Amino acid sequence: MNFAVSITLSTSLFLSLGGTFFSVQCKAGDAKGNGGGALVCPGKNLEILDYYEARLFGFGEPILGNPDDFMEMANEYLSRLAVFSPRRAQMFRNRLESFLSEAVFLDNVPLSEIDDLGVTLPPECVWRQVVNQNSTLLPLGKSYLIDRVLWSQLSSLQRVGLVFHEIFYRESTSPTSQGIRRLNALLATKKLNDMTLSERVLVFKTAGLEWAEAQGLAFLLDPQVEFDSTGNTLLKGTAVEGSTLFWKNQSMQLRSDLVQFYKSGSLKTVRIRGYLQMPFRGEFLKIETREHDRSFLQFHENGEFKEGPLGFQKIWRLSTENLKLEFTYISFDEMGHLRSVANANGFVRLNSASIKDHSEKSIENDSEVIFYINGALKSFSWGSRQPLTLWAQEVFPRYGTLVNFDAAGAIQSFVSDKDGSLQLQNQEWLTFKAGEMIHLRP
């Protein structure tokens, strides 16, 4: 079977995956001049070095389906890659489709021998380069210079391995192809399945690749990568700029910054470009992380949104009968109930059996306001210089300190700004000093 005349690929095959792409600059690849090659041994069929090493290292023989059907084997290879790196598999399918159009076939090309084999060959065999990616040897728009004579002697199985060796090599920053051969062999023999996540990531890194994937995240292979003790869960990784991560049917475009996960693999923190929309009391909050600050979106381990900053394009307000707030930060509990708003300013009208003064009291600017599950006010930072009337007696909460309430709206505690005394509802007297936290008994 002659690959050069019989392979048929269509754009619809690629588009049917429905994937999106992000770009990562290839720092080497086309200009390196190295390329895939094969062992030429007397009385034997040509074999690419990747597959020879697979046996040498104990990986076994490549198993890719029907050895006479190039496309069936190529699809099987891409399916395996997609398990560990779905974005890369989509990219490689596109590159596979364009492989022939980017190739130049010549007879008996005097391709250079390379010194990066890193393995001892049988004494009766020689290594011959079949493909070269040196852009200085190729016309504009071409990526591969292929020795047609050697290519014609390769079986379909060997050609599959060689093609994906070259596709990987375009992305690699490694000065040699040793790591690429190892990764190629592990995919062809299915041995990549037997590795932990951390082991697989090391294989991708050794191959000179700049990024890997886990838990839906495309992350850079930099020193910030961290795994759990089993090596099967990613805990930290730097997102590839412009890549996407999905959360509750929303596609988050990521900044190149640290992404953290819980030990369960659930998303913990992330920084995004654009907005994440959150339904809230009849409208949608726009939650974002801006470039000029270092805030992160945070999530609970059960997958619910935890907290994050809001966009400045709109003033966000929370208004009830007794509360008027503007805020730029919001948080929720694990069940999706409002927990707090921050960077807040506004007014609260206190209304309970103990509080007889119903005038509006200021909330300290840029402070946090906390709520109970039922929506009742739990605490806020006192922003008034005026007194608070409790049981017809004036007390002075200290500016900038918390005033705490129970779920029914009764005041529980506050810090006094002055020495004083207060007669409680049970007729007992409570005496306190300035700066003391006053706890009110029922």
Side-chain angles (χ1 to χ4, degrees), residues 80-124:
R80 294 179 191 177
L81 178 61
V83 173
F84 309 116
S85 189
R87 294 171 176 84
R88 184 173 276 111
Q90 292 177 11
M91 293 167 60
F92 281 17
R93 188 174 292 277
N94 194 35
R95 290 179 182 174
L96 174 64
E97 181 172 298
S98 63
F99 187 86
L100 286 181
S101 65
E102 296 181 58
V104 175
F105 287 84
L106 295 176
D107 293 337
N108 298 311
V109 181
L111 297 177
S112 302
E113 299 298 321
I114 60 175
D115 57 3
D116 74 334
L117 294 184
V119 64
T120 302
L121 304 181
E124 71 276 13

Side-chain angles (χ1 to χ4, degrees), residues 257-325:
D257 213 322
L258 193 66
V259 178
Q260 298 184 79
F261 295 88
Y262 293 96
K263 289 184 178 180
S264 62
S266 178
L267 180 62
K268 187 175 184 179
T269 67
V270 68
R271 297 189 75 233
I272 65 172
R273 293 192 175 278
Y275 297 99
L276 182 67
Q277 288 194 323
M278 281 286 299
F280 178 70
R281 302 194 177 186
E283 61 178 322
F284 282 94
L285 298 175
K286 290 183 177 180
I287 301 171
E288 67 170 336
T289 49
R290 294 172 292 278
E291 190 171 3
H292 64 271
D293 63 35
R294 298 299 305 155
S295 59
F296 285 77
L297 304 189
Q298 300 187 45
F299 299 83
H300 292 288
E301 192 166 5
N302 66 356
E304 290 295 326
F305 179 78
K306 183 177 182 180
E307 59 183 275
L310 302 170
F312 281 134
Q313 284 76 5
K314 172 183 177 181
I315 297 177
W316 298 96
R317 292 184 173 91
L318 177 61
S319 296
T320 65
E321 181 181 354
N322 297 312
L323 183 65
K324 295 179 181 179
L325 274 178

Side-chain angles (χ1 to χ4, degrees), residues 346-348 350 357-364 380 382-390 393-401 403 411 414-418:
F347 302 89
V348 58
L350 303 178
D357 179 1
H358 301 323
S359 63
E360 290 182 337
K361 304 300 181 183
S362 297
I363 295 169
E364 184 187 19
F380 72 93
W382 189 258
S384 297
R385 300 295 182 184
Q386 296 81 19
L388 172 65
T389 303
L390 292 178
Q393 304 160 85
E394 288 187 348
V395 293
F396 290 83
R398 175 162 290 184
Y399 187 94
T401 60
V403 178
I411 191 167
F414 64 95
V415 175
S416 177
D417 195 46
K418 299 180 179 181

Side-chain angles (χ1 to χ4, degrees), residues 58-276:
F59 302 159
E61 297 289 341
I63 305 172
L64 287 168
N66 185 351
D68 295 321
D69 190 323
F70 180 93
M71 276 310 301
E72 180 181 322
M73 289 185 289
N75 284 328
E76 173 64 23
Y77 187 103
L78 289 169
S79 295
R80 294 179 191 177
L81 178 61
V83 173
F84 309 116
S85 189
R87 294 171 176 84
R88 184 173 276 111
Q90 292 177 11
M91 293 167 60
F92 281 17
R93 188 174 292 277
N94 194 35
R95 290 179 182 174
L96 174 64
E97 181 172 298
S98 63
F99 187 86
L100 286 181
S101 65
E102 296 181 58
V104 175
F105 287 84
L106 295 176
D107 293 337
N108 298 311
V109 181
L111 297 177
S112 302
E113 299 298 321
I114 60 175
D115 57 3
D116 74 334
L117 294 184
V119 64
T120 302
L121 304 181
E124 71 276 13
C125 302
V126 296
W127 182 86
R128 293 286 304 279
Q129 190 174 11
V130 182
V131 184
N132 188 287
Q133 292 194 40
N134 191 332
S135 58
T136 63
L137 304 176
L138 292 161
L140 185 64
K142 301 296 182 179
S143 301
Y144 314 102
L145 179 60
I146 301 178
D147 187 314
R148 193 197 322 262
V149 174
L150 294 176
W151 178 267
S152 66
Q153 297 175 38
L154 293 173
S155 68
S156 293
L157 176 63
Q158 301 297 322
R159 289 174 181 172
V160 170
L162 186 60
V163 167
F164 283 114
H165 175 108
E166 298 304 322
I167 292 174
F168 265 121
Y169 206 68
R170 285 182 63 174
E171 188 185 343
S172 176
T173 62
S174 173
T176 77
S177 65
Q178 294 178 40
I180 290 293
R181 298 197 305 264
R182 178 70 62 91
L183 175 55
N184 197 23
L186 288 167
L187 279 163
T189 59
K190 297 185 70 173
K191 292 300 181 181
L192 207 61
N193 299 41
D194 301 332
M195 295 182 168
T196 64
L197 171 61
S198 59
E199 291 170 339
R200 289 194 298 270
V201 167
L202 181 59
V203 170
F204 278 77
K205 185 173 183 178
T206 304
L209 305 181
E210 293 187 338
W211 54 277
E213 295 178 75
Q215 293 145 220
L217 174 71
F219 59 96
L220 299 177
L221 299 179
D222 63 17
Q224 293 198 83
V225 176
E226 182 181 325
F227 305 92
D228 73 345
S229 58
T230 69
N232 282 310
T233 302
L234 178 68
L235 297 180
K236 295 180 181 178
T238 302
V240 173
E241 178 68 33
S243 61
T244 55
L245 188 63
F246 289 93
W247 178 79
K248 290 192 174 182
N249 298 317
Q250 294 190 60
S251 177
M252 298 185 290
Q253 188 179 51
L254 306 186
R255 297 181 183 274
S256 183
D257 213 322
L258 193 66
V259 178
Q260 298 184 79
F261 295 88
Y262 293 96
K263 289 184 178 180
S264 62
S266 178
L267 180 62
K268 187 175 184 179
T269 67
V270 68
R271 297 189 75 233
I272 65 172
R273 293 192 175 278
Y275 297 99
L276 182 67

